[in-house]
Structure formats: structure tokens, C-alpha cells
Amino acid sequence: MATWLITGGCGFIGSHLADALLARGDRVRILDDLSTGKRENLPARQELILGNVVSSERVEQAMDGVDGCWHLAAIASVSRCNEEWIPSHQVNQTGSIRVFEAARRLGRQGRPIPVVYASSAAVYGDNPALPVAETAEARPLTAYGADKLGSELHARVAAGVHGVGSTGLRFFNVFGPRQDPDSPYSGVISIFARRILDSLPILIHGDGGQIRDFIYVGDVVRFLLRAMERTAPGRAEIFNVCTGGAVTILELAQLLSRLGGQELRIEHGPARSGDIRASSGDPGRAARLLGLRAEWPLELALGQTLAGLAERSQAS
Ligand code: NAD
Ligand code: UD2
């Protein structure tokens, strides 16, 4: 039976990955500091190492004896990373290096532990060539994006110098149940869903013409699992995790209101500084080399998300 480490496994994406691994009978180990993740996102019996991914002792303790590591722990808020520049750099970049180093040191028979890690479409910045492919110039506009790009560069060093195999997944806009609707830093879909369930008007930053490529967490877990199967020693690869779709924030608000049985009520606030105007990914490389495409239709996935939030609201 395989044993896996998920750093950030108490989080939105990590807890869905943990569910999938447990469902197929594997053992899962979680390293998380519960800074944004929640213990209740995991089954009560699930082993959790409470700790910081910046600590080499904690990372080595968590990595020892596992067959592979999904590294998802990060400060995922763009604005928080800009405001808390040094501390978030330590988590988002030094934390990644800690993981690569532990994968090197704790490999067995000279074979480093494979690592799949979360990068982000933020590395592209405001690259106008849409849909954007992995070969496009990376020009991050935020500290968050710069640290995700830095993690990719260190992944290449880990492969070339130390033989650590890794696969970096550039997530576009991920949504689904357990994305925390109460955090101002959370994804737009979780925030809009909460407003609709509370019968409150939706607040759009700017004119609502911003474009995003929304991918459902159920699809993201399929990419995470397949990427681990493909990760090989000495090779560092990168893939977009996206649908290739392009939805405006206004269209999103209209769709969610209809699905939530609410009349559309919108208030427009100022555009968010540094907001990317248009973001949409080219899913072709992952389709060719991972053999995967996103399968969840947006409307069905939005329905699942609304239902999941309504259920948790009633339970709490
Ligand atoms: P999340 O905040 O729900 O999950 C992050 C997890 O990491 C949380 O459980 C948190 O407690 C943990 N964590 C944070 N700092 C830590 C530290 N120093 N040590 C140990 N644990 C720590 O966010 P998410 O949306 O699930 O994101 C998961 C990964 O995917 C992150 O790396 C994020 O940057 C990346 N990503 C997410 C999206 C998205 O749309 N959700 C888009 C692009 C990239
Ligand atoms: C997402 C990720 C970020 C980074 C980036 C990469 C989240 C929360 N953020 O940033 O980590 O990976 O993608 O491209 O996952 N909006 C509103 N009203 C609201 C909230 C948001 O209008 O109440 C708008 C916002 O101005 C933006 C869009 O919705 O234009 C998406 O916002 P977001 O915070 O969900 O995600 P994004 O793309 O800024």
C-alpha cells in the first residue's frame, strides 16, 4: 500500500486530493500549519503533522518513508503576499526548496522521492497572448507569482543537480466545495456563492469584464494524481491545469444567480489594483502528455459548489 505526503492537505485543494487517495485505499500523511486550512476538512482518523513547511525538521519528519509528495502548502492570497513580502516568500519559495531538499535526502536506494507541486497561472502575469501556453513568457506581476515561478526554477535545479523528479501544475482559477467563502482572499466563486445563499447583492470589482478560466476541483484532483504517475527522476516538467474556457465575471454572476434561484443583484466597486484583465489557459500540453482534459461542465460544477455550501451552512 502506498503512503503519500500532502503538504497543505487541510486546505481546499489538498483535502479533496486526500479524499481521493484514501478512497483508493492509500495511506496519507498531512503536513499543515492550519493557517488557512481546516482540520475538519479531513476525516477524524487522518494523521496530521502540525507544522510549518519552512521547517526542515518538520518537512523531513513528514517526508520520511513516503512514496511521493504533493506540495500544496502556500500562502495563496495574492494581496497577502504583496503585503507580507518576506514571510510569504519564506513559505512560498523556501518552503518549496525545503520539500525538494527533503525529497533528495530521504529518497531510498538513491531514488529521490517524486514531488508534484502547485504553481499558478500567476506566473504569466498580464501576458496578452491568450489562451496562454506553457511556452509563453513568464512575467509575474505579484510577489505570489514571482515565488511560484521561483519554485519552478528551483524544481529545475532539484532535477538537474540532485536528480529530484517533479511536476509543477500551473493551476488557473480553481473552485469547488470547501473553498472558504468567508475569507476575503478566497476565490470569486466561493464569495459570490455565499452572497447568493445569503440573498445579498454580488459585489463586482470593476466592470465585470474580467475574464477567467475556471476549473473545478474534481478535475484538478485528476491532474494531481496523473502528474504523480508521470513524475520521473531527474526530470522537471510544467503543465497548465485549465479548461481553455473564458468566462467574464459578469457572466459568472448571472450564471450563479440563476442556479441559486436568485434575481441578479449586482453592485460595482472599484477595480482591484493589479487585477489581471484576462486569463485563460491552453490545455493542450496536458492533454497530449498527461492524456487529461477537464471534464466538469461549468454549470454542473457551479451547481455542486452551491449545493456544497448550502449543505455546510445548514450543518453549522
Ligand atoms: P488553501 O489556503 O486552502 O490551502 C493551503 C494549505 O496550506 C492550507 O491548509 C494552509 O493551512 C497550508 N499552509 C499554508 N502555509 C503553510 C505553511 N507555512 N506550512 C504548512 N502548511 C501551510 O489554498 P488552496 O486554494 O487549496 O491552494 C493550494 C495550492 O494551490 C497553493 O499552493 C496555491 O498557491 C495553489 N493555487 C491555488 C489556486 C486556486 O484557485 N485555489 C490557483 C492557483 C494556485
Ligand atoms: C487567482 C488566485 C491567485 C492566483 C491567480 C493566478 C484565488 C483566490 N486567487 O487570482 O492565488 O493563483 O488566480 O491568476 O484563487 N472579484 C470580484 N468580486 C469579488 C471577488 C473577486 O469582482 O468579490 C473579481 C476579481 O477582481 C478578479 C476575479 O473576480 O477579477 C477573480 O478573482 P479571484 O480572487 O477569484 O482570483 P484571481 O484570478 O484574482
Side-chain angles (χ1 to χ4, degrees):
M1 181 192 300
T3 301
W4 308 99
L5 169 61
I6 309 174
T7 74
C10 292
F12 159 48
I13 297 173
S15 61
H16 285 278
L17 173 62
D19 287 346
L21 292 167
L22 292 169
R24 73 183 197 190
D26 291 355
R27 271 199 298 264
V28 175
R29 190 180 294 167
I30 308 274
L31 172 63
D32 204 302
D33 70 351
L34 295 182
S35 52
T36 53
K38 296 182 170 65
R39 182 69 187 78
E40 57 266 28
N41 280 342
L42 296 172
R45 70 183 185 283
Q46 172 54 47
E47 176 193 359
L48 166 63
I49 297 174
L50 201 50
N52 192 323
V53 76
V54 180
S55 154
S56 52
E57 293 74 22
R58 276 283 179 270
V59 173
E60 297 207 354
Q61 173 196 352
M63 190 74 77
D64 193 15
V66 301
D67 298 287
C69 170
W70 281 273
H71 173 45
L72 304 180
I75 297 174
S77 156
V78 173
S79 51
R80 190 168 155 214
C81 290
N82 281 340
E83 286 145 24
E84 299 169 25
W85 200 350
I86 301 291
S88 62
H89 170 72
Q90 286 166 339
V91 172
N92 291 355
Q93 184 157 309
T94 306
S96 297
I97 300 171
R98 291 277 190 223
V99 166
F100 297 138
E101 169 68 349
R104 175 181 77 86
R105 287 168 46 84
L106 295 165
R108 288 168 285 194
Q109 287 95 34
R111 181 187 168 91
I113 294 166
V115 176
V116 174
Y117 64 96
S119 183
S120 166
V123 305
Y124 294 117
D126 59 353
N127 200 312
L130 297 183
V132 66
E134 293 84 350
T135 48
E137 181 197 358
R139 39 206 260 191
L141 300 174
T142 61
Y144 171 82
D147 282 333
K148 287 298 189 183
L149 182 60
S151 297
E152 293 183 8
L153 298 176
H154 280 283
R156 280 193 221 155
V157 172
V161 176
H162 303 299
V164 177
S166 71
T167 302
L169 298 180
R170 289 176 177 173
F171 296 155
F172 277 68
N173 288 64
V174 185
F175 71 97
R178 297 187 205 144
Q179 190 171 41
D180 182 1
D182 299 321
S183 156
Y185 300 131
S186 192
V188 64
I189 287 175
S190 60
I191 293 172
F192 282 10
R194 163 66 85 215
R195 301 286 291 183
I196 286 163
L197 291 179
D198 293 348
S199 300
L200 294 170
I202 284 174
L203 172 62
I204 290 186
H205 303 321
D207 62 7
Q210 305 96 295
I211 290 169
R212 290 294 184 273
D213 184 333
F214 292 110
I215 184 165
Y216 186 58
V217 67
D219 278 321
V220 170
V221 167
R222 291 170 52 243
F223 281 82
L224 284 162
L225 294 172
R226 179 64 55 79
M228 183 61 79
E229 293 167 3
R230 179 179 165 89
T231 300
R235 183 172 71 183
E237 290 191 303
I238 298 287
F239 293 96
N240 284 343
V241 174
C242 60
T243 67
V247 176
T248 69
I249 298 306
L250 183 58
E251 286 164 344
L252 176 72
Q254 292 163 338
L255 196 46
L256 275 169
S257 298
R258 178 165 58 79
L259 290 167
Q262 301 285 325
E263 62 160 312
L264 179 60
R265 287 188 298 155
I266 290 175
E267 290 171 5
H268 287 270
R272 201 161 57 175
S273 68
D275 215 20
I276 306 281
R277 182 67 183 170
S279 165
S280 176
D282 178 341
R285 186 167 194 272
R288 286 192 304 278
L289 298 180
L290 296 179
L292 284 184
R293 282 190 180 276
E295 291 176 352
W296 277 82
L298 179 62
E299 195 157 334
L300 187 61
L302 289 174
Q304 287 284 102
T305 304
L306 275 168
L309 186 57
E311 196 180 303
R312 273 199 313 287
S313 304
Q314 280 150 15
S316 59

